[in-house]
Amino acid sequence: MMPHPERMIDPALSGEDGSLFFENLINNLR
Amino acid sequence: MIVTEQIAIDHGLKKDEYKKICDLLKRVPNITELGIFSAMWNEHCSYKSSRFHLKNLPTKGKNVIQGPGENAGVIDIDDDDALVFKIESHNHPSFIEPYQGAATGVGGIMRDIFTMGARPIANLNSIHFGSPQHKKTRNLLRGVVRGIGGYGNCMGVPTIGGQTNFDESYNGNILVNAMTLGLVKKNKIFYSKAAGLGKPVIYVGSKTGRDGIHGASMASAVFDEKIEEKKPTVQVGDPFTEKLLLEACLELMTGDSIIAIQDMGAAGLTSSSIEMASKGNLGIEINLNKVPCRETKMSPYEIMLSESQERMLIVLENGKEDLAKEIFDKWNLDFAVIGKTTKSKKIELYFDEKKVADIPVNILVENSPMYDRKWKKSKLPKKIKIEKEQFKNLKIINVLNKILSSPNVCSKKWIWQQYDHTVMGDTIQKPGGDAGVVRVHGTNKAIAASVDSSAVYCWAHPLSGGKQIVCESWRNLISVGAKPIAITNCLNFGSPENEENMGEFVECVQGLSEASSFLNFPVVSGNVSFYNQTKDVGIKPTPAIGGVGLIKDYRNMITMDLKAIGNTLLVIGKTEGHLDQSLFSRDILNEKNGPPPEINLFNEKNNGETILKLIEKKFIKSAHDVSLGGIITALSKMCISGKKGAVLKKPKYLINQFEYFFGEDQGRYIIEIEKNNLKDVTEILEKNSVHYEELGIVNDNELIINDKSKVSIDDLIKSHTTWLTNYMNK
């Protein structure tokens, strides 16, 4: 299965680890 | 071809039914018309043996927007939101061709949901297979699971729960029941009732092929040794086309172009056109030359009876054809204006400029046969007296390990890990718990859903079994903190022409009816699957119940995993040690007789509602209902989920430890609370007259029943998780 960081951005789902991916992406684009 | 009585019989019609057709038409039907009658009057489409009894089910309630009779049931879930849901069987095709049978079962039920304007948000399934030792079981299970995953995953809809059972009564007839939930705004629900004269009838979706011809008739017949020859009657699914069809339909539904919409499921173009006309008290005229076909030289008979998948029939407002065509062209789907609504109240078909069918709609629908079949009442079996000797050599931990690793209790992770259960980003309780839970996107609300069956109880005493399964569904929803709202049912039985099978159906429906009335848990949709039978041997009666509930704030959702060492465990509901028909009795003592556990609907409701009060007050840390395998099995699953142990108190009651720990008395839950809340919790329980007892406290990593009986959680996990994986890897 492909990793799905977008499905790990909320503690109510399965955790927040995926947020790191998006935060880094945004920070690097800035 | 001139139609004869024998040709009618070959189409699955009875002699007297064929005579009735000739009498009503006042002539002999042609072959296309006969095909239409055989499709509309078979058991699967006409409910001819079940309608008489289904009318007794409670179908109304404060939250019910649409009960049975439409593509799916609809309930109010507060604000502007409504939930559309239904369960449906695809048993016969799945036995013949497990991958496509199961896949198209999932595709069909999702179409039922988005036909009503709802976007599917979750799938569940209930699947039953023969004995694990039977030569076909492993491959059937593998094919069905791949089929369910293949279709649901490609559609991008999470599969959030289900159940899998094994029993030798399914050796020749497996059960594959698929359930889907969809979300819609209350003011954007679409129905199948045609209205207005001269309105264009539109065909959209995939092209029509020769696959699945007479699929509905095949699903209304008993299997025999020639069953493999029926492979061409199994439909072939394409989830990627269905995804396009979903998006195209929902896009068209944002406007006001659609008058009525109906998916082409069982009996294809036949049932969809006739149902729309019948509900609108109109006629429909169709030019079959305009139906998009993917094979050459298809006859009117084949076009009308094809069950090619991913197709819809729509009645549009006049002048909206171009707008609709633009949408379907964009999604690369076929679009054709194939006919119009008429005042004739007939289904009139044209092909090569000739009229090839001309049948009054009321003859096909209102005049379809309805049978009050003979049925045999079942007796409550006598209670089995289990001698003390039978317990003498048993060790409680050995029994527990055996039960946790038994096919019907063991972890089904091998199955659900093949399903994408997190796609859409709203699954907050995944498979493996009491119920799957998905958030209503962008709100704090969540929907809980579970699917359950208990064929063994229904087989032992259908009335009690029918009640029990509704209660089990109710309990599973309560256990995750949801208020149960409504159910959908899939009633899987043997031949209705057999008095015993028919009796099982009638009494199970009575049981369902009593329990759902008492619990205010109405039936809003469903399906009956008869003839789950090979030659003279029918399956155990297997009503599958899909229950749905609402959690007003998803942050209050409860899971079954034990949370903290030192917390107190309570058993809610009275334990009397009922072993007859329990897993312990059947698998350990090899005793298959006796009555199922008694259902006390008052206690069931009272216990469940009180648990919801405790959840509302945030007293409950984890909860799990007590079902198959009794208290110790339920507690072990909580330990396994939370990777924590428990130290149990000595039971107070004058029953032996096997009766206490493995008895399957109903209406019970295990709850975990903080020790300092014990007084407040017990006060609420006592005030509500709910029976409870202290079971023990949460421990580090061992389940300690007494000084002699203890087991590490790692060992419990091993027992619970290895059987299915090992079985499938053989």
Side-chain angles (χ1 to χ4, degrees), chain B residues 231-262:
Chain B
K231 233 169 208 171
T233 60
V234 178
Q235 308 85 342
V236 180
D238 174 5
F240 299 107
T241 301
E242 176 128 319
K243 174 68 175 164
L244 300 177
L245 186 61
L246 160 70
E247 298 303 337
C249 287
L250 293 184
E251 186 175 336
L252 183 60
M253 285 163 170
T254 56
D256 54 2
S257 308
I258 296 176
I259 296 170
I261 180 166
Q262 173 80 41

Side-chain angles (χ1 to χ4, degrees), chain B residues 172-204:
Chain B
N173 297 80
I174 62 169
L175 303 182
V176 175
N177 298 172
M179 176 176 170
T180 297
L181 318 177
L183 264 182
V184 64
K185 292 291 174 194
K186 278 183 219 166
N187 61 353
K188 290 302 274 182
I189 300 167
F190 288 82
Y191 298 97
S192 58
K193 180 183 170 182
L197 296 178
K199 303 291 180 188
V201 176
I202 313 292
Y203 171 113
V204 296

Side-chain angles (χ1 to χ4, degrees), chain B residues 11 31-33 35-36 203 207-215 264 267-270 288 291-293 295-308 311 349 351 356:
Chain B
H11 275 70
I31 190 67
T32 304
E33 291 170 331
I36 291 171
Y203 171 113
K207 287 183 167 51
T208 296
R210 289 191 170 90
D211 52 320
I213 290 175
H214 277 309
M264 293 192 221
L269 188 52
T270 295
L288 294 175
V291 173
C293 292
E295 294 182 57
T296 56
K297 293 184 181 171
M298 284 188 73
S299 66
Y301 176 93
E302 289 170 324
I303 295 169
M304 287 306 287
L305 296 178
S306 164
E307 289 190 12
S308 291
R311 302 178 303 159
L349 306 178
F351 188 71
V356 291

Side-chain angles (χ1 to χ4, degrees), chain A residues 1 4 6-7 10 12-14, chain B residues 420 422-423 425 428 439 554:
Chain A
M1 290 280 243
H4 285 288
E6 80 281 8
R7 300 186 198 175
D10 186 338
L13 300 174
S14 40
Chain B
D420 189 339
T422 57
V423 63
I428 54 172
R439 285 187 303 203
Y554 73 83

